[in-house]
Amino acid sequence: MLRFLLRRDRVVLPAWIVLIAGVVLSTTGQYSRMFPTPEAALSFAQDLEGNTALTAFTGQLTAPTLHGLILWKIGDVAFTLTALMAILIVLRHTRAEEESGRQELLRSTPISRYAPLASALGLAMGASLLVGTLVTVIGGLRFGLAVAAPGLVFAAVAAVAAQLTERSSTAHLIACGALGVTYGVRFAADGSGVLWARWFSPNGWSHLFLVSDWVIVVPLVAAAVLTAIAFRLNSSRDFGAGVAPSKLGKAGGDVNVPWRVHRTQLIGWVTAFALAGATMGGVAAGMRGTIDGSSPVMGEFLHRYGTGTIGDTLLWMIMVSLGGAAALFPVLVVLRLRADETSGRAELLLSTAIGRMRWAAGHLVVAVAGTLAMMAVAGLTAGRGDLHVLTAALLQVPAALVVGAVAMLAVAFVPRAAAAISFVVWLVVNMFGEIVGPSLGIGYDVANLVSPFHFLPRVLTGEQLTAAPLIGLAAVAFLFSSLGMARLRVRDLG
């Protein structure tokens, strides 16, 4: 089973490993060039002392040295990417395979009922440890273990989520929601200075381990306990079903099929964004003062985000970050078209009165309405009724929908590679401009051109609201979606 999974992931898995290790390596090179002497590193570390906006996103600086700055810059990104990699690996080879019916074929051979879950966990945890080993060469043994630990924990979280529900989309929502909530806890802890709250976050455990050896026991115990729970649930539930029973849909009413398919996922996303907005907005509301932009690095930071007011700058950074996360929702909704196509559900649905365009358009409507609802509740909870914050949140919607429209193009023109293309585009939009590009020596202004969020007016930091970039992004999203619909209308399904 493990050899089989390795063959299936022979492209995706190395890509994940190279991405995480490469980001750490390139950031190491970038910071080595930026701070060639201990004095330069110490000066920048002193500038960071008053910048709680950056600290909320990156975590606490552990040491005013070049090594400490590298871990501060890329540590939380590496922790989160390793956790996301583990979640996607486990759910791809457990719940998604079970939902599609492929695992039933495997289970008809002489293998244990535990083999698919055990091999998926082995692959995800092994990949996390391999990433940690590669990172050890760059940042030391402590950093390598800190990077691997969230992968172990969230592989087990995903394994439990795969047992709870019979829908792959719901399992992804549970596991990724747990990652998002615990990230928010760590964010609030570092941003507000309530550092003890980091104990409630796996990312926080990795930050704590960077300064205290024994903390590594916590993620190991958590991963072991969650793994035992996953195997226990796997042994007691019916194959093809989840622990939580699913409800039967209503007869007829094919107009509401997309809504019924996505409503649980959408409710979960909206709830998560409401909590994220309230938590992160509460941190920003408590911040006062300004950022000193006298140093070149801080001057560049203010050039990217606007005024030196800490609270407003952090709020805009939060809205852009939530917009980048929200872009994943339309991607997942659109990819459901491909999932229905490969599973045979689309063929059954299209044998009724509903047509292809109506089928695809229904999913696109849910993608647009869902993204709008998510950002609206995030803006309302983050700003506590402030219309400026709500406006900033809603500005992210056209940029997020561009990413979903690219997924629609991929599903229509290159369906077999649609999932890979969609997730790569989402990662590039979220990471290239702020992390990957600058670490490769590309300036922030140039690197951020690949992200549609770069073109939005920064209304929270003093920039004037203009309609031109919003109209342009909406037009791009509409054009890509229309091209995808036109292609989907004429190509053979399956």
Side-chain angles (χ1 to χ4, degrees):
M1 278 294 298
L2 186 56
R3 289 198 303 269
F4 171 62
L5 299 190
L6 284 169
R7 284 202 306 272
R8 288 199 63 197
D9 283 357
R10 61 187 179 275
V11 175
V12 174
L13 187 60
W16 270 110
I17 294 171
V18 169
L19 169 66
I20 301 171
V23 163
V24 175
L25 177 62
S26 58
T27 300
T28 301
Q30 178 195 13
Y31 268 50
S32 298
R33 295 189 299 270
M34 288 174 62
F35 310 110
T37 64
E39 292 75 17
L42 178 61
S43 175
F44 180 60
Q46 292 171 343
D47 290 337
L48 288 176
E49 290 180 0
N51 194 337
T52 47
L54 278 179
T55 301
F57 278 95
T58 59
Q60 300 292 318
L61 178 64
T62 56
T65 62
L66 174 61
H67 185 258
L69 288 173
I70 293 170
L71 301 192
W72 167 84
K73 171 65 176 178
I74 202 61
D76 205 66
V77 174
F79 304 156
T80 305
L81 285 177
T82 306
L84 183 60
M85 175 190 71
I87 288 172
L88 295 178
I89 289 174
V90 170
L91 293 181
R92 167 178 163 81
H93 295 302
T94 54
R95 176 49 56 188
E97 290 294 280
E98 198 168 330
E99 184 181 7
S100 69
R102 286 187 292 263
Q103 197 171 110
E104 188 173 7
L105 294 175
L106 292 174
R107 289 277 293 271
S108 67
T109 64
I111 64 171
S112 163
R113 70 180 296 161
Y114 302 112
L117 177 59
S119 56
L121 277 170
L123 182 62
M125 291 184 173
S128 301
L129 291 173
L130 179 56
V131 169
T133 302
L134 294 176
V135 169
T136 295
V137 179
I138 304 168
L141 178 60
R142 187 190 294 269
F143 184 54
L145 290 173
V147 170
L152 303 181
V153 174
F154 281 100
V157 169
V160 173
Q163 314 310 313
L164 296 178
T165 173
E166 68 179 49
R167 293 294 185 189
S168 174
S169 58
T170 308
H172 280 87
L173 173 64
I174 294 171
C176 293
L179 175 60
V181 168
T182 54
Y183 175 85
V185 170
R186 202 280 313 153
F187 180 99
D190 285 311
S192 63
V194 186
L195 299 183
W196 57 265
R198 292 182 295 177
W199 285 103
F200 297 97
S201 168
N203 275 27
W205 299 340
S206 290
H207 283 282
L208 290 165
F209 174 63
L210 293 177
V211 295
S212 181
D213 291 338
W214 70 270
V215 179
I216 194 62
V217 175
V218 179
L220 295 179
V221 171
V225 170
L226 289 168
T227 299
I229 292 173
F231 277 101
R232 179 68 183 87
L233 294 175
N234 180 265
S235 66
S236 60
R237 69 176 177 84
D238 291 335
F239 180 78
V243 173
S246 60
K247 296 181 180 180
L248 295 176
K250 298 179 180 179
D254 56 12
V255 175
N256 296 320
V257 166
W259 162 245
R260 292 205 306 270
V261 167
H262 297 294
R263 63 185 173 190
T264 301
Q265 182 183 187
L266 177 56
I267 292 170
W269 276 88
V270 170
T271 303
F273 269 65
L275 293 173
T279 303
M280 296 180 173
V283 172
M287 293 183 178
R288 298 291 183 270
T290 58
I291 301 170
D292 183 7
S294 57
S295 70
V297 177
M298 285 301 168
E300 174 63 33
F301 173 78
L302 292 179
H303 173 68
R304 297 201 312 274
Y305 293 109
T307 69
T309 305
I310 294 178
D312 291 341
T313 301
L314 180 57
L315 268 176
W316 178 250
M317 292 171 67
I318 289 170
M319 290 302 108
V320 173
S321 299
L322 289 177
L328 185 59
F329 177 76
V331 168
L332 294 176
V333 170
V334 169
L335 289 179
R336 181 58 188 254
L337 294 170
R338 176 60 181 165
D340 286 350
E341 182 181 351
T342 55
S343 68
R345 288 189 295 263
E347 187 175 4
L348 291 174
L349 183 63
L350 295 177
S351 66
T352 67
I354 190 171
R356 287 194 190 191
M357 294 299 94
R358 191 175 174 187
W359 167 59
H363 288 275
L364 291 179
V365 168
V366 172
V368 174
T371 307
L372 186 63
M374 289 154 52
M375 293 310 302
V377 298
L380 288 171
T381 55
R384 302 178 184 182
D386 189 333
L387 292 180
H388 283 88
V389 179
L390 176 60
T391 301
L394 294 177
L395 289 179
Q396 316 302 318
V397 174
L401 293 179
V402 169
V403 182
V406 172
M408 185 66 201
L409 270 182
V411 167
F413 285 91
V414 279
R416 292 189 64 181
I421 292 172
S422 301
F423 282 113
V424 167
V425 169
W426 180 72
L427 285 172
V428 167
V429 165
N430 280 278
M431 292 186 58
F432 190 82
E434 292 296 319
I435 299 172
V436 178
S439 67
L440 297 175
I442 304 173
Y444 285 100
D445 285 342
V446 177
N448 268 310
L449 292 175
V450 305
S451 171
F453 296 94
H454 172 70
F455 301 97
L456 299 175
R458 298 170 293 185
V459 294
L460 290 180
T461 58
E463 194 168 315
Q464 194 70 25
L465 175 61
T466 54
L470 304 178
I471 295 173
L473 291 171
V476 170
F478 180 79
L479 175 62
F480 286 178
S481 299
S482 299
L483 290 174
M485 293 273 285
R487 174 58 181 164
L488 189 64
R489 185 172 184 268
V490 296
R491 78 164 173 84
D492 292 336
L493 291 184

